[in-house]
Amino acid sequence: INHIVKEFKRPWLSVAELQEIAEATESISKESSEEEFQKMLRFHHDLGHLLHFSSNSHLRDQVIIDVQWLLKVVSLLFCPEPKDRQPKKLRLQYDILSKEGILLESLAEHRWSQHGKMTADYTSTAEQRKFIFDVCEHFALFYDTQTKVPVPGRSDGRMTRKLYVPALVTRVKELQEEVRRGRQTAAIYLYSGRDKFFPQTLFWCSVVRFMQRYSPKKDPILHHSSARILCL
């Protein structure tokens, strides 16, 4: 796999491209069935050599061959720069991310463009960014409302997509009154869990799945209190 990454200088390939490589290197024979090729993909996926999401209709035609690259790209989305390194024109977007758990696509584009040739080269087009966002959505890392808002701090009317990242919400609200109100309206949902009972990572993924399925609003407001999330 490392040899393929170096040769193609790309972090992912189409399934068809990888099958051609496998046949050319005699990893599988040209007479092998599609089922045998899929078994090979699953085997290397299980070992962590590559990533292939056969059950996801948005991702099944692509194979990530540089797993470390993917980890770097995703970490740039969810690990904000220290305040003293944040460009002034983007500080409002960073504040929105750290306080409200809202990642703006314009901020993601900046983060990727600033961190190395491999990152910048393969996040430069809308199609490439969509692929990465589809991977993040597959792992329930954020909730996509499919809405766009004006880019903060700009007057040129440019719009950007907003993605909700519950794991980064720091806005705290006393929830008792909201829980009471929640019994009276379908517009409020409470999702709760206990750290000692529910692993933290699984909790946040479950919050995203919950929002995808039940949130009735295009622009929910998230509040965080201990191991509880309130979605207004």
Side-chain angles (χ1 to χ4, degrees), residues 153-203:
R154 295 185 59 153
S155 58
D156 56 5
R158 184 189 171 192
M159 305 293 284
T160 187
R161 192 155 55 122
K162 58 192 298 188
L163 309 163
Y164 287 80
V165 189
L168 296 182
V169 176
T170 57
R171 183 197 344 239
V172 177
K173 188 181 184 76
E174 177 52 50
L175 301 184
Q176 295 304 316
E177 177 62 19
E178 300 299 345
V179 172
R180 185 187 66 77
R181 288 173 50 204
R183 298 191 184 106
Q184 303 171 12
T185 170
I188 298 175
Y189 292 96
L190 178 67
Y191 198 101
S192 62
R194 305 273 181 198
D195 286 354
K196 62 183 179 181
F197 174 74
F198 207 4
Q200 190 79 335
T201 303
L202 182 58
F203 171 64

Side-chain angles (χ1 to χ4, degrees), residues 90-133:
L90 294 173
R91 282 181 184 169
L92 182 55
Q93 295 187 52
Y94 275 112
D95 285 345
I96 292 172
L97 175 62
S98 62
K99 294 178 182 177
E100 302 179 32
I102 296 176
L103 171 67
L104 298 178
E105 188 172 5
S106 54
L107 181 59
E109 292 172 5
H110 164 77
R111 293 283 282 155
W112 287 332
S113 68
Q114 299 298 309
H115 288 80
K117 189 173 187 299
M118 278 291 284
T119 301
D121 283 355
Y122 295 105
T123 57
S124 59
T125 70
E127 183 180 4
Q128 291 165 343
R129 291 193 295 273
K130 181 181 183 304
F131 174 72
I132 297 167
F133 286 139

Side-chain angles (χ1 to χ4, degrees), residues 4-66:
I4 295 174
V5 173
K6 290 178 181 179
E7 181 177 345
F8 283 81
K9 295 182 173 62
R10 289 162 54 193
W12 72 77
L13 298 173
S14 69
V15 170
E17 287 176 315
L18 192 59
Q19 188 165 5
E20 288 181 6
I21 294 170
E23 292 175 354
T25 58
E26 298 184 350
S27 298
I28 60 172
S29 66
K30 293 185 178 180
E31 293 75 27
S32 297
S33 66
E34 178 66 22
E35 182 180 356
E36 290 176 316
F37 175 67
Q38 291 298 326
K39 284 182 179 179
M40 185 196 77
L41 280 182
R42 285 196 297 272
F43 174 74
H44 286 286
H45 174 95
D46 291 342
L47 290 177
H49 296 159
L50 53 77
L51 292 175
H52 179 236
F53 307 104
S54 58
S55 61
N56 189 310
S57 60
H58 298 293
L59 300 170
R60 65 173 55 140
D61 294 331
Q62 305 293 332
V63 181
I64 298 171
I65 57 175
D66 190 345

